[in-house]
Every structure is written in structure tokens, then in C-alpha cells.
Amino acid sequence: MSGTPYEAGIFKVKLVLQRDFPASPPKGFFTTKIFHPNVASNGEICVNTLKKDWKSDLGIKHILLTIKCLLIVPNPESALNEEAGKLLLEEYDDYSRRAKMMTDIHAKSSQPDSAALDVSDSSLCGKKRGLSDKTIEKKKKDKKRALKRL
């Protein structure tokens, strides 16, 4: 996510699916500490897609994409972390420094977990940087297998 304080961060996300999923939305949590207006201190993610805008035809891929977009464009008006929301609106440079510091401390890893949400690529639809077509195909197959297990 070039140009954001979360650039090059590797963030772990946990989705809790209810028994009646997909009729009801999952609950989303960052398990990696993050300074963000829409993420509570316990990691709970506040985004309309997981609340009032939920539709049963939305899948896991859409949810993860929405969370990734939230890192690019935070919504301070629905802040769970009031301090981050206020800083974002009033002192963006201070907000950015603090969010980058938290990313540097908590979201950097020399050996990323395969279940982590990698937000280092600012392209939402393109190939991840540095991955071959064969590697991308393998990752897609692994993802499909994992989703079938759900």
C-alpha cells in the first residue's frame, strides 16, 4: 500500500464466522496490533461491509479486499479508536508517524505467515510484486482448498 503508514506491513486478520454465515456477517479482527481509526484496541474491525451493508452473496475474498481498502482509506467518522480518528482528521502527520511506528514494530516479519494479510502491494487487482505466474496459481489453489474447508 504505497503511500500509507501501513506500507510493507504484514497483518494477521481473524474472521469469525457465525453458524448462520453467510446470512449474517463474520466478525473481523486484526490479531496484529495496529493504530487505525476503524480498529478497536481488541483488534475488532469496524467497516460497513461487516455490519449494516452485509449481503449474503459477499464472500471471504470481498471481505479481505474491503479490509485492505480500509487500510488505504480509513473512515474516521466511524472510529472505534477515537484517538486515531481525531489525529487522522486534525494532525495527519502525527497520525501517520504513529501508525507507521506501530506497523514497523508489530507488522514486520522476516518470515511472513501464509495466513497473514499482505498489504505491501498497492494494486488491489493486479499481481503481487515478485511472484511468478506458477506461484500465483499455487496460491489460488491453496486458497480455494482453504475456503472449501470452511
Side-chain angles (χ1 to χ4, degrees):
M1 238 161 315
S2 182
T4 75
Y6 311 106
E7 183 173 6
I10 306 292
F11 296 89
K12 293 181 183 179
V13 175
K14 175 173 118 177
L15 295 177
V16 179
L17 305 177
Q18 308 301 321
R19 288 186 185 261
D20 61 344
F21 178 82
S24 68
K27 292 184 185 250
F29 297 87
F30 275 94
T31 59
T32 306
K33 287 188 181 216
I34 184 170
F35 185 73
H36 190 283
N38 307 111
V39 180
S41 60
N42 69 349
E44 182 182 0
I45 301 167
C46 179
V47 63
N48 286 340
T49 301
L50 297 178
K51 308 264 188 225
K52 66 179 184 173
D53 293 343
W54 175 254
K55 294 180 187 142
S56 61
D57 60 338
L58 299 176
I60 302 294
K61 182 178 179 180
H62 180 81
I63 295 165
L64 294 174
L65 183 60
T66 299
I67 293 169
K68 188 173 182 177
C69 289
L70 191 65
L71 294 178
I72 298 169
V73 184
N75 182 5
E77 285 78 30
S78 67
L80 290 176
N81 180 335
E82 290 181 30
E83 180 184 8
K86 186 175 179 180
L87 274 176
L88 177 64
L89 290 172
E90 298 174 4
E91 298 289 336
Y92 181 80
D93 289 342
D94 291 342
Y95 161 79
S96 184
R97 271 192 293 280
R98 179 127 176 233
K100 183 173 179 2
M101 178 186 70
M102 291 290 284
T103 299
D104 289 344
I105 292 170
H106 299 288
K108 300 287 176 130
S109 174
S110 59
Q111 303 248 332
D113 185 325
S114 62
L117 177 61
D118 181 355
V119 295
S120 61
D121 187 359
S122 62
S123 168
L124 295 178
C125 300
K127 292 181 187 176
K128 294 198 183 239
R129 290 181 214 144
L131 296 181
S132 68
D133 288 338
K134 187 176 180 180
T135 303
I136 292 169
E137 277 305 311
K138 183 181 181 323
K139 286 186 177 282
K140 284 181 184 177
K141 286 180 185 176
D142 291 345
K143 184 178 177 181
K144 283 181 184 178
R145 276 189 232 124
L147 290 174
K148 283 182 183 179
R149 284 187 222 134
L150 295 175

